[in-house]
Amino acid sequence: MRIEILNTGTELLLGSTLNTHGHWMGQQLLHLGLRVQRQVTVPDGDAIEEALAEAVLRADAVIVTGGLGPTSDDLTREATAKVLGIEMIEDEHAVRELRSFFSARGYGRMPEANLKQALVPVGADVLPNPNGTAPGIYVPPRLGKASACAIFLLPGPPRELQPMFTAEVVPRLRALSGIEEAGEAIELKFVGIGESSFHEGIDEQLQRIAGLEYGYCARLGEVDLRLIGGPEAIAAGRVLVEKEFRRFLVSDDGAPLEKVVVEKMAAQGLTLATAESCTGGLIASRVTDVPGSSQIFTHGFVVYANQAKEDMLGVSADSLERFGAVSEEVCREMLAGALERSGADVAVAVTGIAGPGGGSEEKPVGLVYIGIERRGKDPLVLRKNYPGARDDFKWRVSQTALDQVRCLVG
Amino acid sequence: MRIEILNTGTELLLGSTLNTHGHWMGQQLLHLGLRVQRQVTVPDGDAIEEALAEAVLRADAVIVTGGLGPTSDDLTREATAKVLGIEMIEDEHAVRELRSFFSARGYGRMPEANLKQALVPVGADVLPNPNGTAPGIYVPPRLGKASACAIFLLPGPPRELQPMFTAEVVPRLRALSGIEEAGEAIELKFVGIGESSFHEGIDEQLQRIAGLEYGYCARLGEVDLRLIGGPEAIAAGRVLVEKEFRRFLVSDDGAPLEKVVVEKMAAQGLTLATAESCTGGLIASRVTDVPGSSQIFTHGFVVYANQAKEDMLGVSADSLERFGAVSEEVCREMLAGALERSGADVAVAVTGIAGPGGGSEEKPVGLVYIGIERRGKDPLVLRKNYPGARDDFKWRVSQTALDQVRCLVG
């Protein structure tokens, strides 16, 4: 089933309002096994009619948002009637709903301008809006000139659109599409490899799996691979990528790295302490983004200054002097101090040069030592180099640090 | 000048990635006095060619994002060459840039598949990408069959796209549109008030200022107001909003709150220590996002567990027992401990209930105590309630805490 979204509203194109409709609807439809084939944003005005006329020729269903208000630049209803080539009538029920909305909220008498919101193309359904004045409209297929395309008109504000989408749009799309044919989708999250790793063989093999659609989404130090299709196709694709990249696979439900770490440690009753210099608290903050992280996370030491490394973790002035703050030795002492002073089972420690300043010939910006230690076991300290912007550096260090914790606790 | 944005990427339509390109570019173009006429999102694959072919017929310039990676579903280059009806060649310079990108980061040998990223339509410009492997491409008007339309191909990741847009796209659009100085623009950042505050009167007054365009961008606990127009119009608008909201004004150059705090403290030679429970290191992390923050930030105590509050800050077990961790008393002891153990001039401390669990009748989820103390002065502790999602809660608490520091140091 080919579904398109048409977002209307000048504010969406001027950068004053972030358009989250496509994102939210895409998630809802994916749960139904349905996919958005195209999303278009146009300003208020004639462009709506033009874009809608194009969409109904391509799509089986078009979901239009915005332009259902009472003001002169709310033209979605009119544009739809023109595209369909049918008249509009005032819907009695919609008028009553409008009047009761105003009286129920003590807004007093309804302004006459709002009557415009009760106009619907002949033969269309009115979709009730318990959260605002603008009723939605559903135009079933084969009404007017819209050929086989179904059209949904929904209000722009998310708090009005989202309940209406769930209550009115989803059931109709189910009926129109016949869900059992729809495919499933899983999202495999990999940390520690780049998108390019996938095209060295894997990519071609995935293409050969019948009925499998897939797509990558690469972020800093992270790749999400989405597999879409029938259960067999997805299973085959998963076997293929796991054979190659198993140790980089963090989750198969889109769960972020920090959530996986918290859940693994909680399941084993382990606690974590963080000792951060160059990441400045980012690792602790990511861990505490996860509900229930208080089960595993106790102490976070943000030792930005050398003095703090001595005060808070007992790093020796001598080591700071001899090896420098960014060194394997200091990283090891940070681990030892974090374990001793927190009593946690596992400690992670990072010290590096975030830049832009502070780099040198033998210790360039981007150099970082990432250490991990489990009580009673030997520490492991990695030396990495992540040049680039300061926030990118911090993020990549936190990725590697959290992934090391993930691997350590298994 | 008619500008269209074409976003490519299946992940944008499946709801796995929120598409912020249109929003960001819309703001940038508004600064130039330019408007986006249409924004289209299509999945990876053949739809790119179809959508691009349509766009070049309508627009004077099309900005395409995504699909410049090395994998098989990165088809933007190929689609563009097809639409233009011209061949692609391997750009020598781009190849060298790619190889050096890999070697510079110690990624070792560049996978051969990445060579694909050096392919450009004959006669097009290569746009350097200092932040990733995918170079951008600029196709000037009247090249191939694209008639009078200019085409920009930009990488999908915002951290790669945004610098390239500023450095390579903006100057070319200026030249194409023939705008010398398309009005000035300033961005006033307010913390502690919402967009609705502006709709209560100010909005109407701004509309009456001749030659002034303005737009809001509201985020959690923050509103950016962009004023665009001639110097007089901007000055008049600024006087108007400052009369009303002066104390909420954080910056007039878009500088984030944490940067303002770091610069104010550095200018006065003051140092800061953070004591965080419910924000879990977010405040420290935001401070250390600012280059040069090591000048002012020394110690960060992330005291997530009660034991950590005792160990790291000397909070008394008695107070924790009698008043609970989320209390004014404990917040005061956190401030005292942070000042004493860090030697810093200023301390900020937060303790609250992020949820979703842990709330109670008299201490609901969202309750938080935000304290600030300057050595030798009396502490100030605010009691706030920020119900809502966990990450929203953390963000709003960090906003208020940093804003308190800003006000304290003046």
Side-chain angles (χ1 to χ4, degrees), chain A residues 188 202 209 227 233-245:
Chain A
L188 303 175
I202 290 288
I209 297 174
L227 302 176
I234 288 179
R238 181 173 183 146
V239 166
L240 190 63
V241 290
E242 286 205 358
K243 193 177 76 231
E244 196 76 21
F245 299 122

Side-chain angles (χ1 to χ4, degrees), chain B residues 233-279:
Chain B
I234 289 179
R238 182 173 182 145
V239 167
L240 190 64
V241 290
E242 286 205 359
K243 194 177 76 232
E244 198 75 21
F245 300 123
R246 196 176 207 334
R247 70 201 174 91
F248 303 104
L249 179 61
V250 167
S251 65
D252 61 4
D253 60 356
L257 176 57
E258 52 268 34
K259 182 162 183 281
V260 172
V261 167
V262 167
E263 286 171 352
K264 278 177 177 283
M265 294 191 78
Q268 299 176 49
L270 295 172
T271 56
L272 175 71
T274 56
E276 305 180 66
S277 183
C278 56
T279 46

Side-chain angles (χ1 to χ4, degrees), chain A residues 247-327:
Chain A
R247 70 198 175 93
F248 303 104
L249 179 61
V250 166
S251 64
D252 61 3
D253 59 357
L257 176 57
E258 52 268 34
K259 182 162 183 280
V260 172
V261 166
V262 167
E263 286 171 353
K264 278 177 178 283
M265 294 191 78
Q268 299 176 50
L270 296 172
T271 56
L272 175 72
T274 56
E276 305 180 66
S277 183
C278 56
T279 46
L282 177 60
I283 298 170
S285 186
R286 287 183 63 183
V287 168
T288 56
D289 282 343
V290 182
S293 47
S294 55
Q295 275 185 75
I296 69 119
F297 181 65
T298 59
H299 296 58
F301 305 87
V302 184
V303 290
Y304 216 55
N306 281 357
Q307 190 58 52
K309 294 178 180 68
E310 297 183 39
D311 299 342
M312 295 170 68
L313 295 174
V315 172
S316 73
D318 175 60
S319 299
L320 288 165
E321 174 62 34
R322 277 169 58 212
F323 307 109
V326 181
S327 62

Side-chain angles (χ1 to χ4, degrees), chain B residues 173-351:
Chain B
L173 285 178
R174 275 188 186 282
L176 289 170
S177 62
I179 40 171
E180 319 68 35
E181 211 31 76
E184 307 295 309
I186 63 170
E187 185 165 306
L188 302 175
K189 185 181 292 292
F190 299 88
V191 167
I193 48 174
E195 185 174 343
S196 56
S197 311
F198 288 87
H199 295 315
E200 292 158 352
I202 289 288
D203 211 37
E204 288 71 5
Q205 297 178 60
L206 285 172
Q207 284 175 38
R208 287 197 221 95
I209 298 175
L212 182 69
E213 277 190 76
Y214 64 97
Y216 302 103
C217 179
R219 293 185 215 76
L220 222 45
E222 184 173 310
V223 178
D224 293 348
L225 170 64
R226 276 183 318 286
L227 301 177
I228 302 148
E232 306 75 12
I234 289 179
R238 182 173 182 145
V239 167
L240 190 64
V241 290
E242 286 205 359
K243 194 177 76 232
E244 198 75 21
F245 300 123
R246 196 176 207 334
R247 70 201 174 91
F248 303 104
L249 179 61
V250 167
S251 65
D252 61 4
D253 60 356
L257 176 57
E258 52 268 34
K259 182 162 183 281
V260 172
V261 167
V262 167
E263 286 171 352
K264 278 177 177 283
M265 294 191 78
Q268 299 176 49
L270 295 172
T271 56
L272 175 71
T274 56
E276 305 180 66
S277 183
C278 56
T279 46
L282 177 60
I283 297 170
S285 186
R286 286 184 63 182
V287 168
T288 56
D289 282 343
V290 182
S293 47
S294 55
Q295 276 184 75
I296 69 121
F297 181 66
T298 59
H299 297 58
F301 304 88
V302 184
V303 290
Y304 216 56
N306 282 358
Q307 190 58 52
K309 295 177 180 68
E310 297 182 40
D311 300 341
M312 295 170 69
L313 295 174
V315 172
S316 73
D318 177 60
S319 299
L320 287 165
E321 174 61 35
R322 278 169 57 210
F323 307 109
V326 180
S327 63
E328 176 168 351
E329 293 76 6
V330 165
C331 189
R332 285 172 178 274
E333 292 185 28
M334 287 169 69
L335 286 169
L339 283 178
E340 179 218 326
R341 301 195 177 198
S342 69
D345 305 305
V346 177
V348 61
V350 299
T351 179

